[in-house]
């Protein structure tokens, strides 16, 4: 048995599993290449990278795999030059998310199509999905609020089927809170054509996250994250309607309810967050992971994750007919 979906057919991959293009160095070329080599598709986050770094990182991916991969941009933080720098690398997949309402998605997607890329756009709400489909997206990722990092407020169990119904026949990929093969099987039953994972891939050998950050995922029961704006206030970032799901550590607890003071001291706190990453301090760092941490109990390789997801999903689907009596 093999999981063949419109996602695997469209992208020419073996397994309907996507590494989300997480930013701020959370995705690195070894992760991206490993996921693609395992038969899924890796996506590298390159938002705010200068053009020479985009080229360097893309070359590193291509040196490690000949299989399809993607480059991801947060559109609200990307000007025309940033988009051009990514498209100049001719990625097989141009992955995007979080545009401002006034940005012209159709024009951006047409530029990607002109260089032969497939467009995969992430949304957190049904109206965003409709906008992306009308603009010509080839794939739409419906991300539930369970996910780590920047998310909306609707759970994936509801969002995925609503988006799939709204944008049909555009294929949908489920994201947010997914870490197991059973969830991959469930996503397919909800109308998705595959899954996109972030947190699960952060807890892998190829992940560049510091060791204590990875341990925090393994130790999490899935209940120790919350939606917050504290990391974004510290970095001076303004997102178009997103909340940041992060682990409730000393950074979050110390500044909760003191956001106005944090705005005045954001340079100091931003420096502390950067220092925490360098010093492997999970209590003072920004730990953007999702509720799926409660389902993760080991550090495998990216290939282990991809193949384990697919094997377990296939087993679940084989047994599903027992519910038919």
């Amino acid at each position: 048995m093999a999981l063949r979906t419109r996602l695997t057919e469209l992208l020419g991959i073996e397994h309907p599993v996507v590494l989300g293009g997480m930013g701020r160095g959370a995705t690195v070329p070894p992760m991206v290449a490993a996921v693609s080599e395992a038969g899924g598709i890796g996506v590298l986050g390159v938002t705010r990278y200068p053009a020479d770094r985009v080229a360097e990182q893309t070359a590193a991916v291509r040196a490690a795999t000949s299989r399809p991969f993607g480059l991801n941009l947060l559109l609200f933080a990307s000007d025309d030059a940033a988009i051009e720098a990514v498209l100049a690398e001719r990625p097989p997949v141009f992955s995007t998310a979080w545009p401002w309402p006034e940005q012209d998605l159709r024009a951006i997607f047409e530029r990607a199509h002109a260089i032969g890329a497939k467009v995969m756009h992430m949304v957190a709400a049904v109206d965003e999905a409709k906008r992306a489909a009308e603009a010509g997206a080839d794939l739409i990722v419906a991300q539930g609020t369970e996910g780590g990092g920047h998310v909306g407020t609707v759970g994936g169990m509801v969002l995925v089927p609503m988006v799939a119904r709204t944008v049909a026949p555009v294929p949908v990929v489920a994201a947010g809170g997914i870490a197991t093969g059973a969830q991959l099987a469930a996503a397919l039953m909800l109308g998705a054509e595959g899954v996109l994972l972030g947190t699960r891939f952060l807890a892998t050998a190829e992940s560049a996250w510091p060791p204590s950050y990875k341990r925090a995922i393994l130790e999490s029961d899935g209940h120790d994250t919350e939606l917050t704006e504290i990391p974004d206030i510290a970095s001076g970032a303004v997102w178009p309607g997103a909340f940041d799901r992060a682990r409730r550590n000393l950074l979050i607890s110390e500044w909760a309810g003191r956001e106005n003071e944090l705005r005045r001291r954001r340079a100091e706190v931003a420096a502390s967050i950067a220092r925490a990453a360098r010093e492997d301090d999970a209590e003072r760092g920004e730990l953007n992971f999702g509720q799926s941490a409660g389902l993760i109990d080991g550090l495998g390789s990216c290939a282990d994750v991809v193949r384990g997801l697919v094997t377990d999903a296939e087993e679940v689907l084989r047994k599903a007919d027992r519910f038919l009596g």
Side-chain angles (χ1 to χ4, degrees):
M1 183 177 181
L3 297 180
R4 295 288 179 262
T5 72
R6 288 189 293 153
L7 171 65
T8 62
E9 293 172 1
L10 183 65
L11 301 186
I13 58 178
E14 296 175 50
H15 307 307
V17 178
V18 182
L19 161 65
M22 298 170 285
R24 298 184 183 178
T27 49
V28 290
M31 290 175 71
V32 174
V35 173
S36 291
E37 279 291 293
I41 184 163
V43 179
L44 181 70
V46 295
T47 301
R48 301 186 180 92
Y49 284 11
D52 59 349
R53 188 177 181 194
V54 174
E56 176 188 358
Q57 295 273 290
T58 304
V61 174
R62 285 198 163 105
T65 184
S66 60
R67 299 192 176 191
F69 67 93
L71 298 178
N72 181 76
L73 283 178
L74 300 172
L75 291 179
F76 80 91
S78 302
D79 58 14
D80 188 71
I83 294 169
E84 184 58 35
V86 169
L87 296 182
E89 299 305 317
R90 307 183 75 85
V93 175
F94 179 54
S95 172
T96 57
W98 295 108
W100 290 117
E102 63 271 18
Q103 285 182 290
D104 186 349
L105 291 187
R106 180 175 294 278
I108 294 171
F109 294 172
E110 286 177 351
R111 290 170 64 184
H113 288 146
I115 59 99
K118 300 297 184 185
V119 174
M120 181 172 68
H121 185 74
M122 177 178 284
V123 304
V126 171
D127 61 338
E128 297 171 9
K130 183 177 180 182
R131 175 188 175 194
E134 292 174 347
D138 300 293
L139 290 162
I140 293 176
V141 180
Q143 182 190 43
T145 191
E146 306 95 327
H150 290 85
V151 295
T153 57
V154 180
M157 194 78 174
V158 175
L159 183 64
V160 170
M162 287 198 301
V163 168
R165 179 180 61 195
T166 299
V167 304
V170 179
V172 171
V173 177
I178 298 170
T180 70
Q183 289 172 297
L184 168 54
L188 298 178
M189 295 301 98
L190 290 173
E193 303 291 333
V195 292
L196 180 149
L197 300 87
T199 299
R200 184 63 194 91
F201 283 117
L202 290 174
T204 58
E206 295 90 346
S207 167
W209 260 29
S212 70
Y213 288 33
K214 295 181 184 181
R215 286 197 301 273
I217 294 175
L218 301 185
E219 294 167 0
S220 173
D221 63 1
H223 293 67
D224 58 353
T225 69
E226 62 184 63
L227 298 180
T228 177
E229 293 183 286
I230 288 171
D232 289 337
I233 293 172
S235 67
V238 178
W239 287 64
F243 289 95
D244 188 3
R245 183 174 295 282
R247 183 191 180 210
R248 191 184 310 111
N249 59 3
L250 288 179
L251 168 69
I252 303 301
S253 60
E254 179 178 347
W255 290 103
R258 300 169 59 204
E259 285 82 0
N260 191 48
E261 181 183 357
L262 175 59
R263 288 182 173 89
R264 296 194 299 271
R265 296 174 58 184
R266 69 184 191 185
E268 168 194 339
V269 177
S272 175
I273 292 172
R275 185 168 58 251
R278 293 193 302 270
E279 298 177 355
D280 193 15
D281 181 357
E283 284 303 319
R284 297 290 180 181
E286 180 181 354
L287 270 65
N288 299 123
F289 64 74
Q291 294 174 337
S292 65
L295 298 169
I296 301 169
D297 56 11
L299 292 177
S301 68
C302 288
D304 291 335
V305 172
V306 173
R307 293 165 185 156
L309 283 166
V310 173
T311 298
D312 291 348
E314 290 171 350
E315 185 63 24
V316 169
L317 293 171
R318 283 191 191 96
K319 294 178 178 179
D321 61 358
R322 73 182 186 273
F323 295 109
L324 299 176

Coordinates of all heavy atoms in Angstrom, one line a residue, residues 91-152:
P91 N 13.1 27.8 -7.5 CA 12.7 26.6 -6.7 C 11.5 25.9 -7.3 O 10.6 26.5 -7.9 CB 12.3 27.3 -5.4 CG 11.7 28.6 -5.8 CD 12.7 29.1 -6.9
P92 N 11.5 24.6 -7.2 CA 10.3 23.8 -7.6 C 9.0 24.2 -7.0 O 8.0 24.2 -7.6 CB 10.7 22.4 -7.3 CG 12.2 22.3 -7.3 CD 12.6 23.7 -6.7
V93 N 9.1 24.7 -5.7 CA 7.9 25.1 -5.0 C 8.2 26.5 -4.4 O 9.2 26.7 -3.7 CB 7.5 24.1 -3.9 CG1 6.4 24.7 -3.0 CG2 7.1 22.8 -4.5
F94 N 7.3 27.4 -4.7 CA 7.4 28.8 -4.0 C 6.3 28.8 -3.0 O 5.1 28.8 -3.2 CB 7.1 29.8 -5.1 CG 7.1 31.3 -4.6 CD1 8.2 31.7 -3.9 CD2 6.1 32.1 -4.8 CE1 8.2 33.0 -3.4 CE2 6.1 33.4 -4.4 CZ 7.2 33.9 -3.7
S95 N 6.8 28.8 -1.7 CA 5.9 28.7 -0.6 C 5.7 30.1 0.1 O 6.7 30.8 0.3 CB 6.5 27.7 0.5 OG 5.7 27.7 1.7
T96 N 4.5 30.4 0.4 CA 4.2 31.8 0.9 C 3.2 31.7 2.0 O 2.4 30.7 2.2 CB 3.6 32.7 -0.2 OG1 2.4 32.1 -0.8 CG2 4.6 32.9 -1.3
A97 N 3.1 32.8 2.8 CA 2.2 32.9 3.9 C 2.1 34.3 4.4 O 2.9 35.2 4.1 CB 2.7 32.0 5.1
W98 N 1.0 34.6 5.1 CA 0.8 35.9 5.8 C 1.0 37.1 5.0 O 1.9 38.0 5.3 CB 1.6 35.9 7.1 CG 1.2 34.9 8.1 CD1 1.9 33.8 8.4 CD2 0.0 34.8 8.9 NE1 1.3 33.0 9.4 CE2 0.1 33.6 9.7 CE3 -1.1 35.6 9.0 CZ2 -0.9 33.3 10.5 CZ3 -2.1 35.3 9.9 CH2 -2.0 34.1 10.6
P99 N 0.2 37.3 3.9 CA 0.3 38.6 3.2 C -0.5 39.7 3.9 O -1.5 39.4 4.6 CB -0.3 38.2 1.8 CG -1.4 37.2 2.2 CD -0.8 36.4 3.4
W100 N -0.2 40.9 3.6 CA -1.1 42.1 3.9 C -2.3 42.1 3.0 O -2.2 41.6 1.8 CB -0.3 43.4 3.8 CG 0.7 43.6 4.8 CD1 2.1 43.8 4.6 CD2 0.6 43.8 6.2 NE1 2.7 44.0 5.7 CE2 1.8 44.0 6.8 CE3 -0.5 43.7 7.1 CZ2 2.1 44.2 8.1 CZ3 -0.3 43.9 8.5 CH2 0.9 44.2 9.0
P101 N -3.4 42.6 3.4 CA -4.6 42.6 2.6 C -4.4 43.3 1.2 O -5.0 42.9 0.2 CB -5.6 43.3 3.4 CG -5.2 43.1 4.8 CD -3.7 43.1 4.8
E102 N -3.5 44.3 1.2 CA -3.3 45.1 0.0 C -2.3 44.4 -1.0 O -2.2 44.9 -2.1 CB -2.9 46.5 0.3 CG -1.5 46.6 1.0 CD -1.6 46.5 2.5 OE1 -2.7 46.1 3.1 OE2 -0.7 46.9 3.2
Q103 N -1.6 43.4 -0.6 CA -0.7 42.8 -1.5 C -1.4 42.0 -2.6 O -2.4 41.4 -2.4 CB 0.2 41.8 -0.7 CG 1.3 42.6 0.0 CD 2.3 41.7 0.7 OE1 1.9 41.0 1.7 NE2 3.5 41.6 0.3
D104 N -0.9 42.1 -3.8 CA -1.5 41.5 -5.0 C -1.0 40.1 -5.1 O 0.0 39.8 -5.7 CB -1.2 42.3 -6.2 CG -1.9 41.8 -7.5 OD1 -2.6 40.7 -7.4 OD2 -1.9 42.5 -8.5
L105 N -1.8 39.1 -4.6 CA -1.3 37.7 -4.6 C -1.3 37.2 -6.1 O -0.4 36.4 -6.4 CB -2.3 36.8 -3.8 CG -2.2 37.0 -2.3 CD1 -3.1 36.0 -1.6 CD2 -0.8 37.0 -1.7
R106 N -2.2 37.6 -6.9 CA -2.3 37.1 -8.2 C -1.0 37.5 -9.0 O -0.4 36.6 -9.7 CB -3.5 37.6 -9.0 CG -3.5 37.1 -10.4 CD -4.8 37.5 -11.1 NE -6.0 36.9 -10.5 CZ -6.4 35.7 -10.8 NH1 -5.8 34.9 -11.7 NH2 -7.5 35.2 -10.2
A107 N -0.5 38.7 -8.8 CA 0.7 39.1 -9.5 C 1.9 38.3 -9.0 O 2.8 38.0 -9.8 CB 0.9 40.6 -9.3
I108 N 1.9 38.1 -7.7 CA 3.1 37.4 -7.1 C 3.1 35.9 -7.6 O 4.1 35.4 -8.0 CB 3.0 37.5 -5.6 CG1 3.2 38.9 -5.1 CG2 4.0 36.5 -5.0 CD1 3.0 39.1 -3.6
F109 N 1.9 35.3 -7.6 CA 1.8 33.9 -8.0 C 2.1 33.7 -9.5 O 2.7 32.8 -9.9 CB 0.4 33.3 -7.7 CG 0.1 33.3 -6.2 CD1 -1.2 32.9 -5.7 CD2 1.1 33.5 -5.2 CE1 -1.5 32.8 -4.4 CE2 0.8 33.4 -3.9 CZ -0.5 33.1 -3.5
E110 N 1.7 34.7 -10.3 CA 2.0 34.6 -11.7 C 3.5 34.7 -12.0 O 4.0 34.1 -12.9 CB 1.3 35.8 -12.4 CG -0.3 35.5 -12.6 CD -1.0 36.6 -13.3 OE1 -0.4 37.7 -13.5 OE2 -2.2 36.5 -13.6
R111 N 4.2 35.5 -11.2 CA 5.6 35.6 -11.3 C 6.3 34.2 -11.0 O 7.2 33.8 -11.7 CB 6.2 36.6 -10.4 CG 5.9 38.1 -10.8 CD 6.3 39.1 -9.8 NE 7.7 39.1 -9.5 CZ 8.2 39.9 -8.6 NH1 7.5 40.6 -7.8 NH2 9.6 39.9 -8.4
A112 N 5.7 33.5 -10.0 CA 6.3 32.2 -9.6 C 6.0 31.2 -10.7 O 6.8 30.4 -11.1 CB 5.7 31.8 -8.3
H113 N 4.8 31.2 -11.2 CA 4.4 30.3 -12.3 C 5.3 30.5 -13.6 O 5.6 29.6 -14.3 CB 2.9 30.5 -12.7 CG 2.0 29.9 -11.6 ND1 0.8 30.5 -11.3 CD2 2.1 28.9 -10.8 CE1 0.2 29.8 -10.4 NE2 1.0 28.8 -10.0
A114 N 5.6 31.8 -13.8 CA 6.4 32.1 -15.0 C 7.8 31.4 -14.9 O 8.4 31.2 -16.0 CB 6.6 33.6 -15.1
I115 N 8.3 31.1 -13.7 CA 9.6 30.5 -13.7 C 9.5 29.0 -13.4 O 10.4 28.2 -13.2 CB 10.6 31.1 -12.6 CG1 9.9 31.0 -11.2 CG2 10.9 32.5 -13.0 CD1 10.4 29.9 -10.4
G116 N 8.2 28.5 -13.5 CA 8.0 27.1 -13.5 C 7.7 26.5 -12.1 O 7.7 25.3 -11.9
A117 N 7.6 27.4 -11.1 CA 7.3 26.9 -9.7 C 5.9 26.6 -9.5 O 5.0 27.3 -10.0 CB 7.9 28.0 -8.7
K118 N 5.6 25.7 -8.6 CA 4.3 25.5 -8.0 C 4.1 26.4 -6.8 O 5.1 26.6 -6.0 CB 4.0 24.1 -7.6 CG 4.2 23.0 -8.7 CD 3.2 23.3 -9.8 CE 3.3 22.2 -10.9 NZ 2.3 22.4 -12.0
V119 N 3.0 27.0 -6.6 CA 2.7 27.9 -5.5 C 2.0 27.2 -4.4 O 0.9 26.7 -4.6 CB 2.0 29.2 -6.0 CG1 1.6 30.0 -4.8 CG2 2.8 30.0 -7.0
M120 N 2.5 27.2 -3.2 CA 1.9 26.7 -2.0 C 1.7 27.8 -1.0 O 2.7 28.4 -0.5 CB 2.8 25.5 -1.4 CG 2.1 24.9 -0.2 SD 3.1 23.4 0.3 CE 4.6 24.2 0.9
H121 N 0.5 28.1 -0.7 CA 0.2 29.3 0.2 C -0.5 28.8 1.4 O -1.5 28.0 1.4 CB -0.7 30.3 -0.6 CG -0.9 31.5 0.2 ND1 0.0 32.5 0.4 CD2 -2.0 32.0 0.9 CE1 -0.5 33.5 1.1 NE2 -1.7 33.2 1.4
M122 N 0.0 29.3 2.6 CA -0.6 28.9 3.9 C -1.6 29.9 4.3 O -1.4 31.1 4.2 CB 0.5 28.8 4.9 CG 0.0 28.5 6.3 SD 1.3 28.3 7.5 CE 1.9 26.6 7.1
V123 N -2.7 29.4 4.9 CA -3.8 30.3 5.4 C -4.2 29.8 6.8 O -4.0 28.7 7.2 CB -5.0 30.2 4.5 CG1 -4.6 30.6 3.0 CG2 -5.7 28.9 4.5
A124 N -4.9 30.7 7.5 CA -5.4 30.4 8.8 C -6.9 30.6 8.9 O -7.5 30.4 10.0 CB -4.7 31.2 9.9
A125 N -7.5 30.9 7.8 CA -9.0 31.2 7.8 C -9.5 30.9 6.4 O -8.8 30.9 5.4 CB -9.2 32.6 8.2
V126 N -10.8 30.7 6.4 CA -11.5 30.3 5.1 C -11.4 31.5 4.1 O -11.2 31.2 2.9 CB -12.9 29.9 5.3 CG1 -13.7 29.7 4.0 CG2 -13.0 28.6 6.1
D127 N -11.6 32.7 4.5 CA -11.6 33.8 3.6 C -10.2 34.0 3.0 O -10.0 34.4 1.8 CB -12.0 35.1 4.2 CG -11.2 35.6 5.4 OD1 -10.5 34.7 6.0 OD2 -11.2 36.8 5.7
E128 N -9.1 33.7 3.8 CA -7.8 33.7 3.2 C -7.6 32.6 2.2 O -6.9 32.9 1.2 CB -6.8 33.5 4.4 CG -6.8 34.6 5.4 CD -5.9 34.3 6.6 OE1 -5.2 33.3 6.6 OE2 -6.0 35.0 7.6
A129 N -8.2 31.5 2.4 CA -8.0 30.4 1.4 C -8.7 30.7 0.1 O -8.2 30.5 -1.0 CB -8.6 29.1 2.0
K130 N -9.9 31.3 0.2 CA -10.6 31.7 -1.0 C -9.8 32.7 -1.8 O -9.7 32.7 -3.0 CB -12.0 32.3 -0.6 CG -12.8 32.6 -1.8 CD -14.2 33.1 -1.4 CE -15.1 33.5 -2.6 NZ -16.4 34.0 -2.2
R131 N -9.2 33.7 -1.1 CA -8.4 34.7 -1.8 C -7.2 34.1 -2.5 O -6.9 34.4 -3.6 CB -7.9 35.7 -0.7 CG -6.9 36.8 -1.2 CD -6.3 37.6 -0.1 NE -5.3 38.5 -0.6 CZ -4.5 39.1 0.2 NH1 -4.5 39.0 1.5 NH2 -3.6 40.0 -0.3
A132 N -6.6 33.1 -1.8 CA -5.4 32.5 -2.4 C -5.8 31.6 -3.7 O -5.1 31.6 -4.7 CB -4.7 31.6 -1.4
A133 N -6.9 30.9 -3.5 CA -7.4 30.1 -4.7 C -7.7 30.9 -5.9 O -7.4 30.6 -7.0 CB -8.6 29.3 -4.2
E134 N -8.4 32.0 -5.6 CA -8.8 32.9 -6.7 C -7.5 33.6 -7.3 O -7.6 33.9 -8.5 CB -9.7 34.0 -6.2 CG -11.1 33.5 -5.8 CD -12.0 34.5 -5.2 OE1 -11.5 35.6 -4.8 OE2 -13.2 34.2 -5.0
A135 N -6.4 33.7 -6.6 CA -5.2 34.3 -7.1 C -4.4 33.3 -7.8 O -3.4 33.7 -8.5 CB -4.4 34.9 -5.9
G136 N -4.7 32.0 -7.8 CA -4.0 31.0 -8.6 C -3.1 30.1 -7.9 O -2.3 29.4 -8.5
A137 N -3.2 30.0 -6.5 CA -2.4 29.1 -5.8 C -2.6 27.6 -6.3 O -3.7 27.2 -6.5 CB -2.6 29.2 -4.3
D138 N -1.5 26.8 -6.4 CA -1.6 25.4 -6.8 C -1.9 24.5 -5.6 O -2.6 23.5 -5.8 CB -0.3 25.0 -7.4 CG 0.1 25.8 -8.6 OD1 -0.6 25.7 -9.6 OD2 1.1 26.5 -8.5
L139 N -1.5 24.9 -4.4 CA -1.8 24.2 -3.2 C -2.1 25.2 -2.1 O -1.5 26.3 -2.0 CB -0.5 23.4 -2.7 CG -0.1 22.2 -3.6 CD1 1.4 21.8 -3.2 CD2 -1.0 21.0 -3.2
I140 N -3.0 24.8 -1.2 CA -3.3 25.7 -0.1 C -3.1 24.9 1.2 O -3.7 23.8 1.4 CB -4.7 26.2 -0.2 CG1 -4.8 27.2 -1.3 CG2 -5.1 27.0 1.1 CD1 -6.2 27.7 -1.6
V141 N -2.3 25.4 2.1 CA -2.1 24.8 3.4 C -3.0 25.5 4.4 O -3.0 26.7 4.6 CB -0.6 25.0 3.9 CG1 -0.4 24.4 5.3 CG2 0.4 24.5 2.9
A142 N -3.9 24.6 5.1 CA -4.8 25.1 6.1 C -4.2 24.8 7.4 O -4.1 23.7 7.9 CB -6.1 24.4 6.0
Q143 N -3.7 25.9 8.1 CA -3.0 25.7 9.4 C -3.9 26.0 10.6 O -4.4 27.1 10.8 CB -1.8 26.6 9.4 CG -0.9 26.5 10.7 CD 0.1 27.5 10.9 OE1 -0.2 28.7 10.6 NE2 1.3 27.2 11.3
G144 N -4.1 25.0 11.4 CA -4.9 25.2 12.6 C -4.1 25.9 13.7 O -2.8 25.9 13.7
T145 N -4.8 26.4 14.7 CA -4.2 27.1 15.8 C -3.3 26.3 16.7 O -2.6 26.8 17.5 CB -5.3 27.8 16.6 OG1 -4.7 28.8 17.5 CG2 -6.1 26.8 17.4
E146 N -3.4 24.9 16.6 CA -2.6 24.1 17.4 C -1.1 24.1 17.1 O -0.3 23.7 17.9 CB -3.0 22.6 17.2 CG -4.5 22.3 17.4 CD -5.3 22.3 16.1 OE1 -4.9 23.1 15.2 OE2 -6.2 21.6 16.0
G147 N -0.8 24.7 15.9 CA 0.6 24.7 15.4 C 1.5 25.6 16.2 O 1.0 26.5 17.0
G148 N 2.8 25.5 16.1 CA 3.7 26.4 16.7 C 4.0 27.6 15.9 O 3.7 27.6 14.7
G149 N 4.6 28.6 16.5 CA 4.9 29.8 15.7 C 3.6 30.6 15.5 O 2.7 30.6 16.3
H150 N 3.6 31.2 14.3 CA 2.5 32.1 14.0 C 1.3 31.4 13.4 O 1.4 30.8 12.4 CB 3.0 33.3 13.1 CG 3.9 34.2 13.9 ND1 5.3 33.9 14.0 CD2 3.7 35.3 14.6 CE1 5.8 34.8 14.7 NE2 4.9 35.7 15.1
V151 N 0.1 31.6 14.1 CA -1.1 30.9 13.7 C -2.3 31.8 13.9 O -2.2 32.9 14.5 CB -1.2 29.6 14.6 CG1 -0.1 28.6 14.4 CG2 -1.3 30.0 16.1
G152 N -3.4 31.3 13.4 CA -4.7 31.9 13.7 C -5.4 31.4 14.9 O -4.7 30.9 15.8

